[in-house]
Amino acid sequence: MAKEAPSEGFRVVVVGSANVDLEVGVPHWPDPGESVIAVASERFPGGKGANQAVAAAKAGGVSTALVSAWGADADGALLQEFLLSAGVDTRAVRTVDCPTGLAIVMVDPEGANVVTVVKGANDRVELGEPGCQLVSGARVVLANLEIPVATVARAAQAAREARAVFVLNAAPTTDLPRELLDNVDVLIVSEHGARELAKQHFGMYPSDDGPLLSALRRLVPSVVMTRGGEGVLVASADQEIELVRALPVEPVDHTGAGDTFNGVLAARLAEGAALGEATRAATAAASISLSRAGAGPSIPDAREVARALATGRVPQLD
Ligand code: RIB
């Protein structure tokens, strides 16, 4: 049975995709026209929106809801179970008459991945009345770009009207209209995405990180730029650019690490943390995710993140 919505509203509302990931381990990247034999294959719950919502919910004490869509199929049922068991409210997830999103994820022996997404139901994600209601009671709204940009823009507008903090994870990289960016409070973007965005809005991009971040801060108040093993740069009003280092880790699988970062960052902001502090927790959580296989199953809980922050190490699974 569905739980009651908290009377004060959900603190974090994620607007984004839900996929089942067909993950295959490959011995090496195939060249065009080459076939390789997979060394392993498994189906995992995933999708940027679902992963981010689970990461926020598992960060501890932060009520979380997801606005998304899936099909009336076994993959939709798998995702619903995954989300509910992590404590994510799914009442604003629409069941639509097309298949649940599917991601085909190839992972090499170093844990690097190549992902192809078949959007399916994700193309039908709408904010709608239930989504608007959720956003109007939220402290933080987090969105990603595997769904229609128009839906993300509506969520950003609704968040602005509700005075919620709007966090945009600009992934996958796509052109973003100025009207959407005007309602973004925190932009989380990869180095590649940052350059593309600067190119789109200014016709060029600075090659150094500092000027690149300054350029993006002409578009949005705060920028969090993720740089893989090089750590994360945080640029906010009146603050020096802060470097947050990743924890040392032997990556098993990169899938879902970025989403873990985004979800934990949103949860910490919803608890009142400053952006730098939220980024430190998010970075530790992402490092843990890197040490585990799959997207959904790799997301750590609050206890594991606390241990990683205290010791500076990725905890082993109990
Ligand atoms: O960010 C990782 C996610 O991207 C995977 O779970 C896959 O579904 C794709 O959406």
Side-chain angles (χ1 to χ4, degrees), residues 133-200:
Q133 266 185 22
L134 286 177
V135 168
S136 70
R139 288 196 187 165
V140 174
V141 178
L142 168 63
N144 56 70
L145 298 170
E146 276 181 343
I147 59 171
V149 173
T151 300
V152 175
R154 282 205 62 203
Q157 177 70 42
R160 174 56 45 98
E161 285 160 14
R163 294 168 187 258
V165 174
F166 186 74
V167 181
L168 177 64
N169 167 222
T173 301
T174 188
D175 283 358
L176 294 174
R178 188 67 199 246
E179 311 78 73
L180 164 56
L181 291 168
D182 284 346
N183 288 322
V184 171
D185 296 295
V186 180
L187 176 73
I188 305 175
V189 65
S190 67
E191 261 179 313
H192 166 76
R195 289 195 195 109
E196 291 300 310
L197 203 55
K199 205 157 69 180
Q200 184 204 335

Side-chain angles (χ1 to χ4, degrees), residues 267-283:
R268 289 295 162 103
L269 290 181
E271 288 176 315
L275 188 56
E277 185 190 341
T279 303
R280 284 188 281 283
T283 303

